[in-house]
């Protein structure tokens, strides 16, 4: 990571590792995902995006011994922190680090942001098609970095930016600082007052609705 993590983030990282699933996010990827949910142009309920953070496999909690209340509580804490920092213009992403070379793997953060985008594609398409829309330039900038990070698009993107006299390597080096700036601009362009209320879970009673959004009682869902 780019800096020493707070204890609650270390705990969240530990729980993410505990799932042992290919679909479970790394902490840096999760941070990009939460940022994309918070800054995106469409309102989403927690039930729409929470299951993605653990790969959508509801049986994973019992299988790997992860406590649902603790996990959702930690995600909620980080989501609240991301929203607060975006609003204040002080958002500091959690980046994975390639330790042998000390390289910042900003691409992993973008994978998470892109996953959040995929849940809001109609709204994103409307934004990217309207040059006069608030947040358009920030959205274009984020998509540019996604294309720059994606090998399938790299040849085309490098060729296009070369025509404009832009050095791709310079852009990649600037990415760790540029991505949070663009995300904050996008957030401020959104209707912040209409952002969805995050899940607030300290404990769940056996007869309460399950926080995963299934509609079942907790005892019939993740409480099994």
């Amino acid at each position: 990571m780019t800096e020493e993590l707070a204890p609650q983030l270390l705990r969240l990282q530990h729980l993410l590792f505990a799932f042992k699933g290919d679909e479970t996010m790394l902490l840096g990827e999760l941070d990009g995902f939460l940022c994309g949910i918070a800054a995106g142009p469409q309102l989403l309920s927690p039930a729409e995006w929470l299951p993605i953070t653990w790969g959508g496999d509801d049986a994973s909690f019992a299988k790997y011994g992860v406590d649902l209340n603790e996990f959702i509580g930690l995600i909620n804490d980080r989501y609240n922190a991301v929203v607060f920092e975006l609003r204040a213009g002080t958002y500091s992403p959690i980046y994975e680090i390639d330790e042998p070379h000390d390289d910042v793997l900003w691409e992993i953060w973008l994978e998470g942001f892109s996953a959040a985008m995929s849940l809001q594609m109609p709204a994103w398409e409307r934004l990217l098609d309207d040059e006069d829309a608030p947040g358009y330039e920030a959205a274009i900038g984020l998509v540019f970095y996604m294309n720059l990070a994606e090998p399938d698009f790299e040849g085309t993107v490098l060729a296009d930016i070369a025509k404009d006299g832009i050095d791709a390597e310079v852009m990649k080096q600037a990415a760790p600082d540029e991505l949070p700036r663009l995300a904050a601009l996008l957030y401020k362009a959104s209707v912040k007052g209409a952002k969805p209320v995050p899940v607030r879970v300290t404990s769940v009673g056996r007869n309460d609705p399950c926080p995963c959004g299934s509609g079942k009682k907790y005892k019939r869902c993740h409480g099994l």
Side-chain angles (χ1 to χ4, degrees), residues 34-68:
L34 295 178
C35 182
I37 295 296
Q42 180 181 344
L43 299 177
L44 294 174
S45 70
E48 292 179 276
W49 59 264
L50 264 176
I52 296 173
T53 64
W54 64 78
D57 182 1
D58 292 351
S60 295
F61 286 96
K63 182 177 180 180
Y64 297 117
V66 177
D67 183 81
L68 173 71

Side-chain angles (χ1 to χ4, degrees), residues 132-208:
D132 297 323
Y136 170 81
E137 292 185 1
I140 287 291
L142 287 162
V143 171
F144 170 83
Y145 275 104
M146 290 176 191
N147 289 340
L148 193 61
E150 175 56 55
D152 291 343
F153 293 102
E154 188 170 344
T156 301
V157 171
L158 292 179
D160 288 344
I161 67 175
K163 295 177 183 177
D164 297 328
I166 300 173
D167 189 322
E169 290 305 315
V170 171
M171 294 296 294
K172 289 180 179 180
Q173 291 174 12
D177 294 324
E178 190 67 5
L179 292 174
R181 185 187 74 82
L182 292 170
L185 288 174
L186 181 64
Y187 175 82
K188 290 179 179 179
S190 302
V191 183
K192 298 186 288 296
K195 289 295 170 185
V197 177
V199 178
R200 301 184 182 280
V201 177
T202 54
S203 63
V204 180
R206 287 181 53 76
N207 290 311
D208 292 339

Side-chain angles (χ1 to χ4, degrees), residues 60-142:
S60 295
F61 286 96
K63 182 177 180 180
Y64 297 117
V66 177
D67 183 81
L68 173 71
N69 290 325
E70 181 185 14
F71 183 76
I72 293 181
L74 290 170
I75 290 205
N76 179 62
D77 288 344
R78 180 54 189 167
Y79 176 83
N80 284 338
V82 169
V83 170
F84 178 84
E85 292 174 9
L86 286 171
R87 183 181 297 126
T90 59
Y91 174 55
S92 179
I94 297 174
Y95 290 129
E96 305 290 332
I97 299 294
D98 181 9
E99 293 186 358
H101 306 289
D102 205 29
D103 292 333
V104 177
L105 302 179
W106 53 270
E107 299 91 341
I108 293 177
W109 182 93
L110 263 182
E111 287 180 14
F113 195 99
S114 178
M117 280 183 64
S118 69
L119 298 178
Q120 316 168 51
M121 282 311 298
W124 272 95
E125 288 171 356
R126 287 193 297 271
L127 174 59
L128 293 167
D129 286 340
D130 185 357
E131 295 183 7
D132 297 323
Y136 170 81
E137 292 185 1
I140 287 291
L142 287 162

